[in-house]
Amino acid sequence: MKITVSINIGGMAFHIDEDAYTELKIYLRNLQRYFAKEPSSAEIMSDIEARVADLLKVRINDYKQVVTIQDVREVMSILGTPEDISDESGTGKVKAGNVGYHRMYRDPDNRIIAGVCSGMSAYWRINPWIIRVIFIVISLPGGLGIFIYLILWIVLPEAKTTAQKIEMKGDAVNIQNIKDSVKQEFDNVKEKMNL
Amino acid sequence: MNVENNKAQMRKGILEYCILLVISGNSCYASDIINKLKEAKVIVVEGTLYPLLTRQKNAGLLSYRWEESSQGPPRKYYELTDKGREYLAELDKSWDELVESVKLIRKK
């Protein structure tokens, strides 16, 4: 069972898996950011959205009613990333470098204790056992590692949502996402404090 | 210097010309243009087309009209303006010249 979201792309309604939604949202924002320097960026984006809707429409039917992450990835590879487009049209001198928004979380999917080491390894893209061994080694003499581990357990949030898991791995994320996640964090704090 | 880069530059050079050529045949919807260009291996990713179409439209080479579609929201059909046709005629001439130039040099 999965949660789906309903979205409107180019005037068409779609049910889409939550992970697919996150990926599509990030993709469209990256494109939007890339085209921002064009004088008619809004028009370009609405044309592209219409095309995305066309491409998604042929991927759903009565027996497969929900857009999956596989569908979104296919559509992305057909339309191309900002880098592909820039390479091909040659007019985009500015490389569409993504600000990889990247933060450290505890990784609940690969945890041994609380996911501190696996979260750190996802952040640095290394094998989690490297960090685990370091923690074990510095824990042996006086238990310093255990102390640091406990602090990190408290300080690092757990990556619960799909968006957080993407941030944890530092996939293509942009300025807008930073704004969003700052806002999200602010909302979280507000919620916690019952403001 | 690398050959891939050189080939890519050549393709980029004729991309806008090819778009105008496709549209000159018949007024067409974006996906018709995409299919033709992909078939001719001028583009690989579709996203390349949209900013170019918008630029050509802004330059007054193209215009579009909305047309109802049986399968969804109305679609944009592009066609060449008079200015677009003149522009295309210029490019046609220039292309012929280029082909002639290369032919001439190749023979020697």
Side-chain angles (χ1 to χ4, degrees), chain A residues 8 11 17 39 43 61 80 104 109 115 121 125 127 129 133-135 137 139 148 151 155 158 170 180-181 195:
Chain A
N8 167 357
D17 280 332
E43 191 177 351
N61 55 48
M104 206 180 276
D109 301 331
S121 68
R125 293 176 193 174
N127 188 316
W129 281 103
V133 167
I134 294 172
F135 266 98
V137 168
S139 297
I148 295 173
I151 298 280
V155 170
E158 189 180 315
D180 280 0
S181 54
L195 287 174

Side-chain angles (χ1 to χ4, degrees), chain A residues 10-12 34-35 38-40 43-44 46-48 50-51 54-55 57 76-81 84-92, chain B residues 8 11-12 15-16 29 31 34-35 38 42-48 50-55 57-58 64 66 71-73 75-76 78:
Chain A
M12 304 273 298
Y34 172 67
F35 289 127
E38 296 277 338
S40 308
E43 191 177 351
I44 297 172
S46 81
D47 288 348
I48 288 182
R51 183 65 180 158
D54 273 352
L55 292 171
K57 204 172 58 194
M76 282 163 56
S77 75
I78 292 171
L79 280 164
T81 62
D84 297 334
I85 295 169
S86 165
D87 283 349
E88 203 162 89
S89 60
T91 35
Chain B
R11 236 177 304 150
K12 280 175 200 174
L15 191 48
E16 300 210 32
Y29 165 54
S31 73
I34 285 167
N35 291 339
K38 276 188 162 172
V42 184
I43 62 168
V44 179
V45 292
E46 299 187 355
T48 310
Y50 294 95
L52 295 174
L53 279 180
T54 307
R55 253 180 250 156
K57 189 213 74 189
N58 289 349
Y64 64 81
W66 290 100
Q71 297 142 15
R75 294 168 162 184
K76 272 181 180 173
Y78 292 90

Side-chain angles (χ1 to χ4, degrees), chain A residues 126-147:
Chain A
I126 52 176
N127 188 316
W129 281 103
I130 297 174
I131 311 229
R132 286 178 189 140
V133 167
I134 294 172
F135 266 98
I136 291 166
V137 168
I138 59 173
S139 297
L140 289 178
L144 178 68
I146 296 172
F147 181 71

